[in-house]
Amino acid sequence: MHDKEVSRVESGNNSNDATANEQIDDDLNRWLPITASRKAKWWYSTFHNVTAVVGAGVLGLPYAVSQLGWIPGIGMIIISWFVTLYSLWQLVNLHEHVPGKRFDRYPELGKHVFGLKRGYWIVMPQQMIVQVASDIVYMVTGGKSLKESMHTMFHWSRGIKQTYFILFFGVLQLILSQAPNFNSLKVVSFTAAVMSLSYSTISSIASIIKGVEHPQPVNYGLRSHTPVGITFDIFNSLGTIAFAFAGHSVALEIQATIPSTPEKPSKGPMWRGVTVAYAIVAFCYLAVAASGFWAFGNLVDDDVLVTLKHPHWLIALANFMVFLHVLGSYQVFAMPVFDMIECYLVKKRRFTPGRPLRLIARSIYVVVTMFVGMCFPFFGGLLGFFGGLAFSSTSFFLPCIMWLVSQKPKRWSFHWIASWLAIIIGVSITVLAPIGGARTIIISAKNYIFFN
């Protein structure tokens, strides 16, 4: 009798502890930036996804086509579009495939599918590599685009080094990083999405005009002429294309900001926004890639706006639009990092939630990414290296593996075949692309002087 009493008391205490922990988690979620506000509309999903997907990578697509060739290059972009749209559909549906439960963050879904510890350590490092690498590339892109815009329009600015433009971009990010939650970025993200569509259109039209007026025949052959050079170029181009489809790493976090009920789950408005976003992505990517390569052939730079020099005012405007776009893209990719850092500091290190914590933690992150960007400003190589290293996993095959494990589709069914095809393509990119990206960085670094 006494043992039963003790057992009942212990059971009650465990139940109370669990309830208390759930209450603490609920209170923390109401403060953390991903889950603090769930009032987003379906069109928020559209511009958040456009901002996340159509990033710096779109300007490198003509260069990637020049490394692969006309048909393989455009074909790889189209294949990647279909594969990543399918894997994004999987993530949208997995977000709340368990009744009454929402997986608001990529690692949370990983823990559910693969187990608490194993799932967290499978997903979290890959997502963080994508987020941090994207922000480093956006630091470089922001500074480089502002430099090109200023140097084109104002001759007095040509003596200012790119390092200082990256520094200025970083200072602006220090200010924007204090936005309390994802939904508070809606104006910044919407502006970034409009800018991405605008500079993609300008780039395409300017390339077509340049191609029509080109005085010399254009060489559409492969960029390199040796077997080794061609092989490494192919590897790097795969990473560049993978980088262009990196938005999946924030998809669950974007969906977490949309309200959801059993009658109206969040997957409906989220998917509507995704389909509109991906239509915009298709236009931007195919228009920029095809027009840029058609106009310049294998002489196109790793940033097509660098190759386009006239009219000066239009190219300066397009570069400034890129600058405005990556201001928003940086924040969209940084928000899950802020969420993870703040959650760790509050739950594990017992820091008090509040503005001082956010100011210090987020500022340190921005400064670190700015410093790395200033040290290694190799745009083309960074796209290929990071694109293959992690972006292909979070966008191409990790959602498919999660789908196979959790939904267990029948062998040889559509979802089984589609998932395995995406896994094969994604793993191939992951293995091959970093090799080409690393070679490009090494070649670019031969004559490079730090902070010069």
Side-chain angles (χ1 to χ4, degrees):
M1 196 71 173
H2 177 72
D3 291 341
K4 288 183 179 180
E5 292 272 351
V6 171
S7 178
R8 195 179 298 116
V9 170
E10 288 178 348
S11 177
N13 288 338
N14 291 336
S15 177
N16 290 335
D17 289 342
T19 303
N21 288 333
E22 287 179 6
Q23 183 61 46
I24 291 171
D25 288 341
D26 289 342
D27 292 340
L28 182 59
N29 272 327
R30 282 192 284 270
W31 180 75
L32 290 173
I34 299 300
T35 48
S37 174
R38 297 188 189 267
K39 299 177 181 179
K41 310 296 184 184
W42 73 265
W43 56 86
Y44 289 25
S45 166
T46 296
F47 59 71
H48 281 323
N49 276 288
V50 170
T51 299
V53 178
V54 186
V58 65
L59 300 175
L61 290 179
Y63 184 80
V65 174
S66 75
Q67 293 176 313
L68 280 172
W70 251 124
I71 296 176
I74 298 297
M76 190 61 198
I77 293 172
I78 294 173
I79 290 171
S80 298
W81 187 89
F82 278 108
V83 169
T84 55
L85 179 61
Y86 173 69
S87 62
L88 190 48
W89 174 85
Q90 291 176 318
L91 284 178
V92 169
N93 283 274
L94 288 173
H95 177 82
E96 47 192 346
H97 74 281
V98 176
K101 173 69 176 174
R102 299 185 70 175
F103 300 106
D104 296 320
R105 301 163 178 88
Y106 220 142
E108 290 178 8
L109 180 59
K111 288 191 288 186
H112 168 73
V113 174
F114 301 119
L116 288 178
K117 281 192 176 181
R118 182 170 59 180
Y120 179 80
W121 288 108
I122 287 174
V123 176
M124 186 277 292
Q126 295 187 70
Q127 186 194 27
M128 287 301 106
I129 289 174
V130 173
Q131 309 309 107
V132 176
S134 295
D135 283 338
I136 292 171
V137 173
Y138 291 145
M139 275 286 179
V140 176
T141 309
K144 183 178 180 180
S145 299
L146 184 60
K147 181 197 76 172
E148 294 294 336
S149 181
M150 292 288 291
H151 286 188
T152 302
M153 295 303 294
F154 305 105
H155 294 288
W156 56 264
S157 67
R158 292 184 178 178
I160 303 176
K161 298 175 183 177
Q162 181 170 301
T163 300
Y164 295 109
F165 289 102
I166 296 176
L167 181 63
F168 177 72
F169 184 86
V171 171
L172 293 180
Q173 291 301 337
L174 286 172
I175 299 170
L176 291 175
S177 67
Q178 297 309 307
N181 57 65
F182 219 137
N183 275 339
S184 63
L185 288 174
K186 57 182 179 289
V187 175
V188 174
S189 183
F190 175 76
T191 303
V194 172
M195 291 299 103
S196 67
L197 181 59
S198 300
Y199 70 69
S200 296
T201 303
I202 290 174
S203 171
S204 302
I205 294 174
S207 294
I208 292 171
I209 294 173
K210 190 79 172 179
V212 171
E213 298 176 349
H214 216 290
Q216 301 271 341
V218 178
N219 186 352
Y220 295 116
L222 292 176
R223 193 174 193 89
S224 294
H225 304 291
T226 64
V228 174
I230 292 172
T231 301
F232 280 113
D233 277 356
I234 291 172
F235 292 171
N236 188 64
S237 67
L238 294 176
T240 301
I241 293 171
F243 186 97
F245 293 94
H248 292 51
S249 61
V250 292
L252 293 175
E253 286 79 359
I254 291 171
Q255 192 168 347
T257 65
I258 299 174
S260 183
T261 63
E263 298 77 23
K264 292 183 178 181
S266 64
K267 67 180 181 181
M270 177 67 179
W271 181 243
R272 191 190 311 173
V274 165
T275 53
V276 176
Y278 253 64
I280 297 172
V281 169
F283 165 76
C284 292
Y285 284 14
L286 293 176
V288 172
S291 63
F293 185 65
W294 174 76
F296 302 105
N298 58 19
L299 296 179
V300 68
D301 290 291
D302 60 1
D303 180 345
V304 69
L305 291 181
V306 174
T307 315
L308 288 164
K309 293 181 171 64
H310 304 284
H312 294 306
W313 66 270
L314 188 62
I315 303 309
L317 177 62
N319 273 300
F320 190 70
M321 287 177 173
V322 175
F323 168 74
L324 293 177
H325 175 212
V326 294
L327 277 176
S329 296
Y330 183 100
Q331 287 301 313
V332 168
F333 277 89
M335 199 58 75
V337 183
F338 296 156
D339 186 272
M340 187 200 71
I341 293 172
E342 290 163 13
C343 181
Y344 170 78
L345 292 175
V346 173
K347 290 187 73 172
K348 301 296 184 181
R349 296 302 175 187
R350 304 300 180 188
F351 282 85
T352 304
R355 287 185 179 180
L357 177 63
R358 278 190 169 151
L359 177 64
I360 296 171
R362 296 185 181 188
S363 297
I364 291 173
Y365 172 78
V366 172
V367 169
V368 169
T369 56
M370 178 176 63
F371 178 77
V372 175
M374 288 191 296
C375 289
F376 305 101
F378 310 123
F379 180 75
L382 289 173
L383 291 186
F385 182 77
F386 287 130
L389 184 65
F391 293 16
S392 55
S393 65
T394 56
S395 294
F396 281 77
F397 65 85
L398 190 54
C400 298
I401 294 174
M402 290 180 171
W403 184 270
L404 292 174
V405 173
S406 63
Q407 303 302 303
K408 296 178 174 57
K410 290 183 180 179
R411 183 170 292 192
W412 305 114
S413 66
F414 170 79
H415 289 296
W416 189 89
I417 294 172
S419 295
W420 275 109
L421 284 175
I423 290 169
I424 292 169
I425 293 171
V427 170
S428 301
I429 294 173
T430 300
V431 172
L432 300 176
I435 301 172
R439 175 179 177 267
T440 303
I441 292 174
I442 292 169
I443 292 173
S444 301
K446 280 185 177 179
N447 300 316
Y448 176 69
I449 301 173
F450 279 109
F451 307 114
N452 192 24

